[in-house]
Every structure is written in C-alpha cells, then in structure tokens.
Amino acid sequence: QVQLQESGPGLVKPSETLSLTCTVSGGSISRGYWSWIRQSPGKGLECIGYIHYSGSTNYNPSLKSRVIMSVDTSKNQFSLKLSSVTAADTAVYYCATEELTGTYWYFDLWGRGTLVTVSS
Amino acid sequence: QSALTQPRSVSGSPGQSVTISCTGTSSDVGGYHYVSWYQQHPGKVPKLMIYDVSKRPSGVPDRFSGSKSGNTASLTISGLQAEDEADYYCCSYVGTYTFVVFGGGTKLTVL
C-alpha cells in the first residue's frame, strides 16, 4: 500500500529556510492532492498547504508569504520550503494525503512525521 | 481563520459513552458537510476516524459516530475502551482559499 516518508534536516537556524521532502512509495504521486501539516510541541494540528500532482498549490493564508511547495513526479516526491523561520516554526512536520474521496480536506494517509527544531 | 473550539478534556469510564463537541461558525462547520475527526495516541500519527460529518472509514469501529447541528459538530464514542484514550481533533473545510481548520484538540481519559 501507499506509504509516505518525510526527510530533511532536523535543525534549522532562525531566519533560514526549512526544507523537507516527502517520498511516496507503493503507489504513484500522479493522482490527487498532497499536503503538509505541522504540530507544534504539545499543541494542535495546522495545515500548511497542499499541492496537486499537476503542480497547482494552495497555502494557509497565515504562512503563504513564506511557503513554497513543489512536486517531482519522476521521483515520486513532493517538497516543502518554509523561509525566514523562527522558534515558532518548531514542530513535527507531517506529509499527508487522502485516498478515500480524492479531496484535499481529509487526511487518511500520513507520514511518520519529522521533528524540525529552529534554534541557533 | 480561528481554530475550532473543543473542550480541553473529557473523561468516561469503560463501557460508558462520551461526546466531544467542536464549535465553529457558519463559515466552517455550519457551512459545509465536510467535518472530520482524528484520533492521536501519544507519539503517534493522527488517524482519520470520521469524515463527511458522520461517515467512518473502513476499519473504524462503529462505536465511533459523528453528527452536526448548526455550527457545532460532535464525536460520540460509545462503549468506551481503554484504547480509546487519546487526543481527538476535529477539522472542517472552510472554502477554497483557507481550505481546512482544525480544532485545538480534546484529551479523552478513560477512567
């Protein structure tokens, strides 16, 4: 079955750019929507945005000025870049998708998550 | 877009029923039939339990049910079991540009 796996640095310096990649295995990325969600330590969930396999994107308005998502169908990967990070961006970052209904507002398949700490 | 409002904690004894509320506005919960609920055990990945307000994905026990009235959605867990102890998050579609908003989460304790 389809599995997702996040990868990227676990430590990013303030003001720098956080870069993460999600690798899709067991299936093709060339369908549906692919999302990034984060969870700050001890806090709730926040959807960062999503990318369609065609490359179209939609970002959370609160993060929009700092977010870029991209997809590489040849590698079955999609990526997240979050610029000008601060300590408030410290969180577990999940990549996720939805297979039930083909929409971008449910998430029934998640990666294991990767903790990114912003600190000098 | 403000987070949806959930109680910080609820509790119940094994076998009992508990209901977790999720209050939003007419721009989110009240405006769409796209409410979902996620279960998250400590250190684990969130799991989709309910979608489209009241539908259960395959494999989710029918002890879990969802409903909505006006701007408030609810998750009811009947026949509580120890394994149900977890954090629960509601989520609502809010339109094309903001697309989803989560609740702050509710910690369920099985006494």
Side-chain angles (χ1 to χ4, degrees):
Chain A
Q1 73 275 21
V2 177
Q3 293 184 317
L4 308 180
Q5 178 67 60
E6 305 88 351
S7 59
L11 181 64
V12 181
K13 290 183 168 56
S15 79
E16 294 191 345
T17 296
L18 177 160
S19 296
L20 295 174
T21 296
C22 182
T23 300
V24 180
S25 59
S28 173
I29 199 172
S30 295
R31 62 123 189 97
Y33 299 89
W34 305 88
S35 300
W36 288 98
I37 296 166
R38 70 180 183 179
Q39 186 170 31
S40 302
K43 299 288 179 62
L45 300 162
E46 179 182 33
C47 189
I48 300 169
Y50 67 81
I51 185 166
H52 188 256
Y53 73 92
S54 65
S56 64
T57 57
N58 200 355
Y59 306 140
N60 185 322
S62 68
L63 299 168
K64 188 173 185 176
S65 63
R66 300 194 289 131
V67 173
I68 297 175
M69 294 183 185
S70 58
V71 62
D72 187 334
T73 54
S74 67
K75 294 183 179 179
N76 239 28
Q77 295 176 332
F78 62 106
S79 299
L80 167 71
K81 290 187 185 299
L82 180 65
S83 61
S84 304
V85 297
T86 68
D89 295 309
T90 293
V92 174
Y93 286 75
Y94 296 99
C95 56
T97 189
E98 199 275 347
E99 297 185 309
L100 261 178
T101 63
T103 63
Y104 51 81
W105 51 83
Y106 299 135
F107 314 100
D108 63 352
L109 186 61
W110 298 64
R112 296 178 67 176
T114 186
L115 175 62
V116 178
T117 301
V118 179
S119 175
S120 56
Chain B
Q1 185 70 31
S2 300
L4 305 176
T5 301
Q6 298 181 234
R8 296 198 68 170
S9 65
V10 298
S11 63
S13 299
Q16 288 186 332
S17 293
V18 295
T19 296
I20 301 172
S21 62
C22 171
T23 302
T25 69
S26 58
S27 296
D28 39 63
V29 174
Y32 303 94
H33 205 66
Y34 301 137
V35 175
S36 53
W37 289 89
Y38 297 84
Q39 177 192 63
Q40 186 178 32
H41 288 106
K44 300 297 186 181
V45 174
K47 176 184 177 183
L48 179 66
M49 304 298 284
I50 296 287
Y51 70 102
D52 283 356
V53 174
S54 60
K55 296 179 181 177
R56 283 187 308 276
S58 175
V60 173
D62 59 7
R63 302 185 294 104
F64 291 83
S65 63
S67 62
K68 189 184 81 163
S69 177
N71 297 336
T72 298
S74 299
L75 172 70
T76 298
I77 309 170
S78 58
L80 266 181
Q81 299 182 3
E83 67 211 49
D84 299 331
E85 185 163 293
D87 293 325
Y88 291 84
Y89 295 91
C90 64
C91 181
S92 176
Y93 178 74
V94 294
T96 305
Y97 296 103
T98 309
F99 49 95
V100 296
V101 62
F102 285 95
T106 297
K107 180 176 180 58
L108 168 63
T109 301
V110 180
L111 301 170

